[in-house]
Amino acid sequence: QVQLQESGPGLVKPSQTLSLTCTVSGGSITSSGYYWSWIRQPAGKGLEWIGRIYGSGSTHYNPSLKSRVTISEDTSKNQFSLKLTSVTAADTAVYYCARDIADRVFFDYWGHGTLVTVSS
Amino acid sequence: QSALTQPPSASGSPGQSVTISCTGTSSDVGGYNFVSWYQQHPGKAPKLIIYEVNQRPSGVPDRFSGSKSVNTASLTVSGLQAEDEADYYCSSYAGNYNLVFGGGTKVTVL
């Protein structure tokens, strides 16, 4: 059973960089056929896909966030990470990491989510 | 890219059926059979209930079914049960390695 767990600061100041890590257990992030994605959800609002990374290190980003997002991986720790720069209050949300089935585009395993608040 | 359009709410009595629409364009819903649906209870992570338009993951009751016509996908929940009260989100591949979600529909079991 694959499990994902988000971790990182719950409070980030405006204009700073949001950094989160997703630790994966029960499966390797280098396994072929899977992408590893970040998705966020502002309170009371819908889901927004942020981007994904493949085991080889290739990445794809939501065009609306691409200029501020970097997703990377640490295969030795079976983790992947999100960095979002120049944050504002609009970036306040619950951030989820999820497993994304490559070439089929759906998320079958999700983390529990972590709330990140952008505030001074 | 714009979010897919879903009605904000839908409701039905126990045992009845409810259908939720998810409208996109020929660049997303209409262009690919990569529509999926997620159920989200309050305070919980979304759960996959339909993928590739009409496929159910193992363990998802067959009360949940999906379909697509042109640029609109639909999720039908038959034989509504109290535990089906939740938010439902559609998503679709949108080309160029992009993915888009719908705004969500809150289903109330009356």
Side-chain angles (χ1 to χ4, degrees), chain B residues 10-90:
Chain B
S11 62
S13 299
Q16 291 187 331
S17 295
V18 65
T19 297
I20 303 165
S21 62
C22 169
T23 301
T25 69
S26 59
S27 297
D28 38 61
V29 174
Y32 310 92
N33 287 324
F34 293 130
V35 176
S36 52
W37 290 89
Y38 301 87
Q39 177 192 62
Q40 186 180 36
H41 288 106
K44 300 293 188 181
K47 172 189 173 185
L48 176 70
I49 55 172
I50 294 287
Y51 65 96
E52 293 175 342
V53 177
N54 56 17
Q55 301 300 301
R56 273 189 316 277
S58 174
V60 173
D62 60 5
R63 303 185 293 103
F64 293 90
S65 61
S67 63
K68 189 184 84 167
S69 176
V70 192
N71 296 334
T72 298
S74 298
L75 172 72
T76 297
V77 186
S78 306
L80 267 175
Q81 298 183 5
E83 60 262 34
D84 299 332
E85 185 161 295
D87 294 326
Y88 292 82
Y89 294 91
C90 62

Coordinates of all heavy atoms in Angstrom, one line a residue, chain B residues 10-90:
Chain B
A10 N -25.8 19.7 -5.8 CA -26.8 18.7 -6.3 C -27.3 18.0 -5.1 O -26.7 17.9 -4.1 CB -26.2 17.8 -7.3
S11 N -28.5 17.5 -5.2 CA -29.1 16.8 -4.1 C -30.1 15.7 -4.5 O -30.6 15.7 -5.7 CB -29.8 17.8 -3.2 OG -30.9 18.4 -3.9
G12 N -30.3 14.8 -3.6 CA -31.3 13.7 -3.9 C -31.6 13.0 -2.6 O -30.8 13.1 -1.6
S13 N -32.7 12.3 -2.6 CA -33.1 11.6 -1.4 C -32.4 10.2 -1.4 O -32.0 9.7 -2.5 CB -34.6 11.4 -1.4 OG -35.3 12.6 -1.3
P14 N -32.3 9.6 -0.2 CA -31.7 8.2 -0.2 C -32.4 7.3 -1.2 O -33.7 7.3 -1.3 CB -32.0 7.8 1.2 CG -32.0 9.1 2.0 CD -32.7 10.1 1.1
G15 N -31.6 6.6 -1.9 CA -32.2 5.6 -2.9 C -32.3 6.2 -4.3 O -32.4 5.5 -5.3
Q16 N -32.4 7.5 -4.4 CA -32.5 8.2 -5.7 C -31.1 8.3 -6.4 O -30.1 7.9 -5.8 CB -33.1 9.6 -5.5 CG -34.6 9.5 -5.1 CD -35.2 11.0 -5.1 OE1 -34.5 11.9 -4.9 NE2 -36.5 11.0 -5.4
S17 N -31.1 8.8 -7.6 CA -29.9 9.0 -8.3 C -29.6 10.5 -8.5 O -30.6 11.3 -8.5 CB -30.0 8.4 -9.7 OG -30.1 7.0 -9.7
V18 N -28.4 10.8 -8.6 CA -28.0 12.2 -8.8 C -26.9 12.2 -9.9 O -26.0 11.3 -9.9 CB -27.5 12.9 -7.5 CG1 -26.3 12.3 -7.0 CG2 -27.3 14.4 -7.8
T19 N -27.0 13.1 -10.8 CA -26.0 13.2 -11.9 C -25.3 14.6 -11.9 O -26.0 15.6 -11.8 CB -26.6 13.0 -13.3 OG1 -27.1 11.6 -13.3 CG2 -25.6 13.1 -14.4
I20 N -24.0 14.6 -11.9 CA -23.2 15.8 -11.9 C -22.5 16.0 -13.2 O -21.9 15.0 -13.7 CB -22.1 15.7 -10.8 CG1 -22.8 15.5 -9.4 CG2 -21.3 17.0 -10.8 CD1 -21.7 15.0 -8.4
S21 N -22.6 17.2 -13.8 CA -22.0 17.4 -15.1 C -20.6 18.1 -14.9 O -20.4 18.8 -13.8 CB -22.9 18.3 -16.0 OG -23.1 19.5 -15.3
C22 N -19.8 18.0 -15.9 CA -18.5 18.6 -15.9 C -18.2 19.0 -17.3 O -17.9 18.2 -18.2 CB -17.5 17.5 -15.4 SG -15.7 17.9 -15.6
T23 N -18.3 20.3 -17.6 CA -18.2 20.8 -18.9 C -16.9 21.5 -19.2 O -16.4 22.3 -18.4 CB -19.3 21.8 -19.2 OG1 -20.6 21.1 -19.0 CG2 -19.3 22.3 -20.6
G24 N -16.3 21.0 -20.3 CA -15.0 21.6 -20.7 C -15.0 22.0 -22.1 O -16.1 22.5 -22.6
T25 N -14.0 21.8 -22.8 CA -13.9 22.2 -24.3 C -13.3 21.0 -25.0 O -12.9 20.0 -24.5 CB -13.0 23.4 -24.4 OG1 -11.6 23.0 -24.1 CG2 -13.4 24.5 -23.5
S26 N -13.1 21.2 -26.3 CA -12.5 20.2 -27.1 C -11.0 20.0 -26.9 O -10.4 19.1 -27.3 CB -12.7 20.5 -28.6 OG -12.1 21.8 -28.9
S27 N -10.5 21.0 -26.1 CA -9.0 20.9 -25.7 C -8.8 20.1 -24.5 O -7.6 19.8 -24.1 CB -8.5 22.3 -25.5 OG -8.5 23.1 -26.7
D28 N -9.9 19.8 -23.8 CA -9.7 19.0 -22.6 C -10.7 17.8 -22.5 O -10.4 16.7 -23.1 CB -9.7 19.8 -21.3 CG -10.8 20.9 -21.3 OD1 -12.0 20.6 -21.5 OD2 -10.4 22.1 -21.2
V29 N -11.8 18.0 -22.0 CA -12.8 16.9 -21.8 C -13.1 16.2 -23.2 O -13.1 15.0 -23.3 CB -14.1 17.4 -21.2 CG1 -15.1 16.2 -21.2 CG2 -13.8 17.8 -19.7
G30 N -13.3 17.1 -24.2 CA -13.7 16.6 -25.5 C -12.6 15.9 -26.3 O -12.9 15.2 -27.2
G31 N -11.4 16.3 -25.9 CA -10.3 15.8 -26.7 C -9.6 14.5 -26.2 O -8.8 14.0 -27.0
Y32 N -9.9 14.1 -25.0 CA -9.2 13.0 -24.5 C -10.2 12.2 -23.6 O -11.1 12.7 -23.0 CB -8.0 13.4 -23.6 CG -7.1 14.4 -24.2 CD1 -7.3 15.8 -24.1 CD2 -6.0 14.0 -25.0 CE1 -6.5 16.7 -24.7 CE2 -5.2 14.9 -25.6 CZ -5.4 16.2 -25.5 OH -4.6 17.1 -26.1
N33 N -9.9 10.9 -23.5 CA -10.7 10.0 -22.6 C -10.0 9.9 -21.2 O -9.9 8.8 -20.7 CB -10.9 8.7 -23.2 CG -12.0 8.7 -24.3 OD1 -12.9 9.5 -24.2 ND2 -11.8 8.0 -25.4
F34 N -9.5 11.0 -20.8 CA -8.7 11.0 -19.5 C -9.5 11.9 -18.5 O -8.9 12.9 -17.9 CB -7.3 11.5 -19.7 CG -6.5 10.6 -20.5 CD1 -5.7 11.0 -21.5 CD2 -6.4 9.2 -20.2 CE1 -4.9 10.2 -22.3 CE2 -5.6 8.4 -20.9 CZ -4.9 8.8 -22.0
V35 N -10.8 11.6 -18.3 CA -11.6 12.3 -17.3 C -11.6 11.4 -16.1 O -11.9 10.2 -16.1 CB -13.0 12.6 -17.8 CG1 -13.8 13.2 -16.7 CG2 -13.0 13.5 -19.0
S36 N -11.4 12.0 -14.9 CA -11.5 11.3 -13.7 C -12.4 12.1 -12.7 O -12.6 13.3 -12.8 CB -10.1 11.0 -13.1 OG -9.3 12.2 -13.0
W37 N -12.9 11.4 -11.7 CA -13.7 12.0 -10.7 C -13.2 11.6 -9.3 O -12.7 10.5 -9.0 CB -15.2 11.5 -10.8 CG -15.9 12.0 -12.0 CD1 -15.9 11.4 -13.3 CD2 -16.7 13.1 -12.1 NE1 -16.7 12.1 -14.1 CE2 -17.2 13.2 -13.4 CE3 -17.1 14.1 -11.2 CZ2 -18.0 14.2 -13.9 CZ3 -17.9 15.1 -11.6 CH2 -18.4 15.2 -13.0
Y38 N -13.3 12.6 -8.4 CA -12.9 12.4 -7.0 C -14.0 12.8 -6.0 O -14.7 13.7 -6.2 CB -11.6 13.3 -6.8 CG -10.5 12.9 -7.7 CD1 -10.4 13.5 -9.0 CD2 -9.5 11.9 -7.4 CE1 -9.4 13.2 -9.9 CE2 -8.6 11.6 -8.3 CZ -8.5 12.2 -9.5 OH -7.5 11.9 -10.4
Q39 N -14.0 12.0 -4.9 CA -15.0 12.3 -3.9 C -14.2 12.8 -2.7 O -13.1 12.3 -2.3 CB -15.7 11.0 -3.4 CG -16.6 11.1 -2.3 CD -17.1 9.7 -1.8 OE1 -16.2 8.9 -1.3 NE2 -18.3 9.5 -1.9
Q40 N -14.6 13.9 -2.1 CA -13.9 14.5 -0.9 C -14.9 14.8 0.2 O -15.8 15.6 0.1 CB -13.2 15.8 -1.3 CG -12.3 16.3 -0.2 CD -11.6 17.6 -0.6 OE1 -12.1 18.4 -1.4 NE2 -10.4 17.7 -0.1
H41 N -14.7 14.1 1.3 CA -15.4 14.4 2.5 C -14.7 15.5 3.3 O -13.5 15.7 3.1 CB -15.6 13.1 3.4 CG -16.5 12.1 2.8 ND1 -16.1 10.9 2.3 CD2 -17.9 12.1 2.7 CE1 -17.2 10.2 1.8 NE2 -18.2 11.0 2.1
P42 N -15.5 16.2 4.1 CA -14.9 17.4 4.8 C -13.6 17.0 5.6 O -13.6 16.0 6.4 CB -16.0 17.8 5.7 CG -17.2 17.4 5.1 CD -16.9 16.1 4.4
G43 N -12.6 17.8 5.4 CA -11.3 17.6 6.1 C -10.5 16.4 5.7 O -9.5 16.1 6.3
K44 N -10.9 15.8 4.6 CA -10.2 14.6 4.1 C -9.6 14.9 2.7 O -10.0 15.8 2.0 CB -11.2 13.4 4.0 CG -11.8 13.0 5.3 CD -10.8 12.4 6.3 CE -11.5 11.9 7.5 NZ -10.5 11.4 8.5
A45 N -8.7 14.0 2.3 CA -8.1 14.1 1.0 C -9.1 13.5 0.0 O -9.9 12.7 0.3 CB -6.8 13.3 0.9
P46 N -9.0 14.0 -1.2 CA -9.9 13.5 -2.3 C -9.6 12.0 -2.5 O -8.5 11.5 -2.3 CB -9.5 14.3 -3.5 CG -8.9 15.5 -3.0 CD -8.2 15.2 -1.7
K47 N -10.6 11.3 -2.9 CA -10.5 9.8 -3.2 C -11.0 9.6 -4.7 O -12.0 10.1 -5.1 CB -11.4 9.1 -2.3 CG -11.5 7.6 -2.6 CD -12.6 6.9 -1.7 CE -12.9 5.4 -2.2 NZ -14.0 4.8 -1.4
L48 N -10.2 8.9 -5.4 CA -10.5 8.5 -6.8 C -11.7 7.6 -6.8 O -11.7 6.5 -6.2 CB -9.3 7.9 -7.4 CG -9.5 7.4 -8.9 CD1 -9.6 8.5 -9.9 CD2 -8.3 6.5 -9.3
I49 N -12.7 8.0 -7.6 CA -13.9 7.1 -7.8 C -14.1 6.7 -9.2 O -14.8 5.6 -9.5 CB -15.1 7.7 -7.2 CG1 -15.4 9.1 -7.7 CG2 -15.0 7.7 -5.6 CD1 -16.8 9.6 -7.3
I50 N -13.6 7.4 -10.2 CA -13.8 7.1 -11.6 C -12.5 7.6 -12.3 O -12.0 8.7 -12.0 CB -15.0 7.8 -12.2 CG1 -16.3 7.2 -11.7 CG2 -15.0 7.6 -13.8 CD1 -16.7 5.8 -12.1
Y51 N -12.0 6.8 -13.2 CA -10.9 7.2 -14.1 C -11.2 6.8 -15.5 O -12.0 6.0 -15.8 CB -9.6 6.7 -13.6 CG -9.4 5.2 -13.7 CD1 -8.8 4.5 -14.7 CD2 -9.9 4.3 -12.6 CE1 -8.7 3.2 -14.8 CE2 -9.8 3.0 -12.7 CZ -9.2 2.4 -13.8 OH -9.1 1.0 -13.9
E52 N -10.5 7.5 -16.4 CA -10.7 7.2 -17.9 C -12.2 7.2 -18.2 O -12.6 6.2 -18.9 CB -9.9 6.0 -18.3 CG -8.4 6.2 -18.1 CD -7.6 4.9 -18.4 OE1 -8.2 3.8 -18.3 OE2 -6.4 5.0 -18.7
V53 N -12.9 8.2 -17.8 CA -14.3 8.5 -18.1 C -15.2 7.6 -17.3 O -16.2 8.0 -16.7 CB -14.6 8.3 -19.6 CG1 -16.1 8.5 -19.9 CG2 -13.8 9.3 -20.4
N54 N -15.0 6.2 -17.4 CA -16.0 5.3 -16.9 C -15.5 4.1 -16.1 O -16.2 3.2 -15.9 CB -17.0 4.9 -18.0 CG -16.2 4.2 -19.1 OD1 -15.1 3.8 -19.0 ND2 -16.9 4.1 -20.3
Q55 N -14.2 4.2 -15.8 CA -13.6 3.0 -15.1 C -13.6 3.2 -13.6 O -13.3 4.3 -13.1 CB -12.2 2.8 -15.6 CG -12.1 2.6 -17.1 CD -12.8 1.3 -17.5 OE1 -12.6 0.2 -17.0 NE2 -13.8 1.5 -18.4
R56 N -14.0 2.2 -12.9 CA -14.0 2.3 -11.4 C -12.8 1.6 -10.8 O -12.6 0.4 -11.1 CB -15.3 1.6 -10.8 CG -16.5 2.5 -10.7 CD -17.6 1.8 -10.0 NE -17.8 0.4 -10.4 CZ -18.5 0.0 -11.5 NH1 -19.1 0.9 -12.2 NH2 -18.6 -1.3 -11.8
P57 N -12.1 2.2 -9.9 CA -11.1 1.5 -9.2 C -11.7 0.4 -8.3 O -12.8 0.4 -7.9 CB -10.4 2.6 -8.3 CG -10.9 3.9 -8.8 CD -12.2 3.6 -9.5
S58 N -10.8 -0.6 -8.0 CA -11.2 -1.6 -7.1 C -11.7 -1.1 -5.8 O -11.1 -0.2 -5.2 CB -10.0 -2.6 -6.9 OG -10.3 -3.5 -5.9
G59 N -12.9 -1.6 -5.3 CA -13.4 -1.1 -4.0 C -14.4 0.0 -4.1 O -15.1 0.2 -3.1
V60 N -14.5 0.6 -5.3 CA -15.6 1.7 -5.4 C -16.9 1.0 -5.9 O -16.9 0.2 -6.8 CB -15.1 2.7 -6.5 CG1 -16.3 3.7 -6.8 CG2 -13.9 3.4 -6.0
P61 N -17.9 1.3 -5.1 CA -19.2 0.6 -5.5 C -19.7 0.9 -6.9 O -19.4 2.0 -7.4 CB -20.2 1.2 -4.4 CG -19.3 1.8 -3.4 CD -18.0 2.2 -4.0
D62 N -20.4 0.0 -7.5 CA -20.9 0.2 -8.8 C -22.0 1.1 -8.9 O -22.6 1.4 -10.0 CB -21.2 -1.2 -9.5 CG -22.3 -1.9 -8.8 OD1 -22.9 -1.4 -7.8 OD2 -22.6 -3.1 -9.1
R63 N -22.4 1.7 -7.8 CA -23.4 2.8 -7.8 C -22.8 4.1 -8.4 O -23.6 4.9 -8.8 CB -23.8 3.1 -6.3 CG -24.3 2.0 -5.5 CD -24.8 2.4 -4.2 NE -23.8 2.8 -3.3 CZ -23.5 4.1 -3.0 NH1 -24.2 5.1 -3.5 NH2 -22.6 4.4 -2.1
F64 N -21.5 4.1 -8.5 CA -20.9 5.2 -9.1 C -20.5 4.9 -10.6 O -19.9 3.9 -10.9 CB -19.6 5.6 -8.4 CG -19.8 6.1 -7.0 CD1 -19.8 5.2 -6.0 CD2 -20.0 7.5 -6.8 CE1 -20.0 5.7 -4.7 CE2 -20.2 8.0 -5.5 CZ -20.2 7.1 -4.4
S65 N -21.0 5.7 -11.5 CA -20.7 5.5 -12.9 C -20.4 6.8 -13.6 O -20.8 7.9 -13.2 CB -21.9 4.8 -13.6 OG -23.0 5.6 -13.6
G66 N -19.6 6.7 -14.7 CA -19.2 7.9 -15.4 C -19.5 7.7 -16.9 O -19.5 6.6 -17.4
S67 N -19.6 8.9 -17.6 CA -19.8 8.9 -19.0 C -19.3 10.2 -19.6 O -19.0 11.1 -18.8 CB -21.3 8.7 -19.3 OG -22.1 9.8 -18.8
K68 N -19.3 10.3 -20.9 CA -18.9 11.5 -21.6 C -19.6 11.7 -22.9 O -19.9 10.7 -23.6 CB -17.4 11.5 -21.8 CG -16.8 12.8 -22.3 CD -15.3 12.7 -22.6 CE -15.1 12.2 -24.0 NZ -13.7 12.4 -24.4
S69 N -20.0 12.9 -23.2 CA -20.6 13.2 -24.5 C -20.0 14.5 -25.0 O -20.2 15.6 -24.3 CB -22.1 13.3 -24.4 OG -22.7 13.7 -25.6
V70 N -19.3 14.5 -26.0 CA -18.6 15.7 -26.6 C -17.8 16.3 -25.6 O -16.8 15.7 -25.1 CB -19.7 16.6 -27.2 CG1 -18.9 17.7 -28.1 CG2 -20.7 15.9 -28.1
N71 N -18.1 17.5 -25.1 CA -17.3 18.2 -24.2 C -17.7 18.2 -22.7 O -17.2 18.9 -21.9 CB -17.1 19.7 -24.6 CG -16.5 19.9 -25.9 OD1 -15.7 19.0 -26.3 ND2 -16.8 20.9 -26.6
T72 N -18.7 17.3 -22.4 CA -19.3 17.2 -21.1 C -19.2 15.8 -20.6 O -19.7 14.9 -21.2 CB -20.7 17.7 -21.1 OG1 -20.8 19.1 -21.4 CG2 -21.3 17.5 -19.7
A73 N -18.6 15.7 -19.4 CA -18.5 14.4 -18.7 C -19.5 14.4 -17.6 O -19.9 15.5 -17.1 CB -17.1 14.2 -18.1
S74 N -20.0 13.3 -17.2 CA -21.0 13.2 -16.1 C -20.7 12.1 -15.2 O -20.1 11.0 -15.5 CB -22.4 12.9 -16.7 OG -22.8 14.0 -17.6
L75 N -21.0 12.3 -13.9 CA -20.9 11.3 -12.9 C -22.3 11.1 -12.3 O -23.0 12.0 -12.0 CB -20.0 11.8 -11.7 CG -20.0 10.9 -10.5 CD1 -19.2 9.6 -10.7 CD2 -19.4 11.7 -9.3
T76 N -22.7 9.8 -12.3 CA -24.0 9.5 -11.7 C -23.8 8.6 -10.5 O -23.0 7.6 -10.5 CB -24.9 8.7 -12.7 OG1 -25.1 9.5 -13.9 CG2 -26.2 8.3 -12.1
V77 N -24.5 9.0 -9.4 CA -24.5 8.2 -8.2 C -25.9 7.6 -8.1 O -26.9 8.4 -7.9 CB -24.1 9.0 -7.0 CG1 -24.0 8.2 -5.8 CG2 -22.8 9.8 -7.2
S78 N -26.0 6.4 -8.2 CA -27.3 5.7 -8.1 C -27.5 5.2 -6.7 O -26.6 4.9 -6.0 CB -27.4 4.5 -9.1 OG -27.1 5.0 -10.4
G79 N -28.8 5.0 -6.3 CA -29.1 4.5 -5.0 C -28.3 5.3 -3.9 O -27.6 4.7 -3.1
L80 N -28.6 6.6 -3.9 CA -27.9 7.5 -3.0 C -27.9 7.0 -1.5 O -28.9 6.5 -1.0 CB -28.5 8.9 -3.0 CG -27.9 9.9 -3.9 CD1 -28.7 11.2 -3.9 CD2 -26.5 10.2 -3.6
Q81 N -26.8 7.1 -0.9 CA -26.7 6.7 0.5 C -26.1 7.9 1.3 O -25.5 8.8 0.7 CB -25.7 5.5 0.7 CG -26.2 4.2 0.0 CD -25.4 3.0 0.2 OE1 -24.4 3.1 1.0 NE2 -25.7 1.9 -0.4
A82 N -26.3 7.9 2.6 CA -25.9 9.0 3.4 C -24.4 9.3 3.3 O -24.0 10.5 3.3 CB -26.3 8.7 4.9
E83 N -23.6 8.3 3.2 CA -22.2 8.4 3.1 C -21.7 9.0 1.7 O -20.6 9.4 1.6 CB -21.4 7.1 3.3 CG -21.8 6.0 2.4 CD -22.8 5.1 3.0 OE1 -23.7 5.5 3.7 OE2 -22.7 3.9 2.7
D84 N -22.7 9.2 0.8 CA -22.3 9.8 -0.5 C -22.3 11.3 -0.4 O -21.9 12.0 -1.4 CB -23.3 9.3 -1.6 CG -23.3 7.8 -1.8 OD1 -22.2 7.2 -1.6 OD2 -24.3 7.3 -2.2
E85 N -22.8 11.8 0.7 CA -22.8 13.3 0.9 C -21.3 13.7 1.0 O -20.6 13.4 1.9 CB -23.6 13.7 2.1 CG -23.7 15.2 2.3 CD -24.9 15.6 3.2 OE1 -26.0 15.3 2.8 OE2 -24.6 16.1 4.2
A86 N -20.9 14.5 0.0 CA -19.5 14.9 -0.1 C -19.4 15.9 -1.3 O -20.4 16.2 -1.9 CB -18.6 13.7 -0.4
D87 N -18.2 16.4 -1.4 CA -17.9 17.2 -2.6 C -17.3 16.3 -3.7 O -16.5 15.4 -3.4 CB -16.8 18.3 -2.3 CG -17.4 19.3 -1.3 OD1 -18.6 19.6 -1.4 OD2 -16.6 19.9 -0.5
Y88 N -17.6 16.6 -4.9 CA -17.1 15.8 -6.0 C -16.4 16.7 -7.0 O -17.0 17.8 -7.4 CB -18.3 15.0 -6.7 CG -18.9 14.0 -5.8 CD1 -19.8 14.3 -4.8 CD2 -18.5 12.6 -5.9 CE1 -20.3 13.3 -4.0 CE2 -19.0 11.7 -5.1 CZ -19.9 12.0 -4.1 OH -20.4 11.0 -3.3
Y89 N -15.3 16.3 -7.5 CA -14.5 17.0 -8.4 C -14.2 16.2 -9.7 O -13.8 15.0 -9.5 CB -13.2 17.5 -7.8 CG -13.3 18.4 -6.7 CD1 -13.4 18.0 -5.4 CD2 -13.3 19.8 -6.9 CE1 -13.6 18.9 -4.3 CE2 -13.5 20.7 -5.9 CZ -13.6 20.3 -4.6 OH -13.7 21.2 -3.6
C90 N -14.3 16.8 -10.8 CA -13.8 16.2 -12.0 C -12.5 16.7 -12.4 O -12.1 17.8 -12.0 CB -14.8 16.4 -13.2 SG -15.1 18.1 -13.7

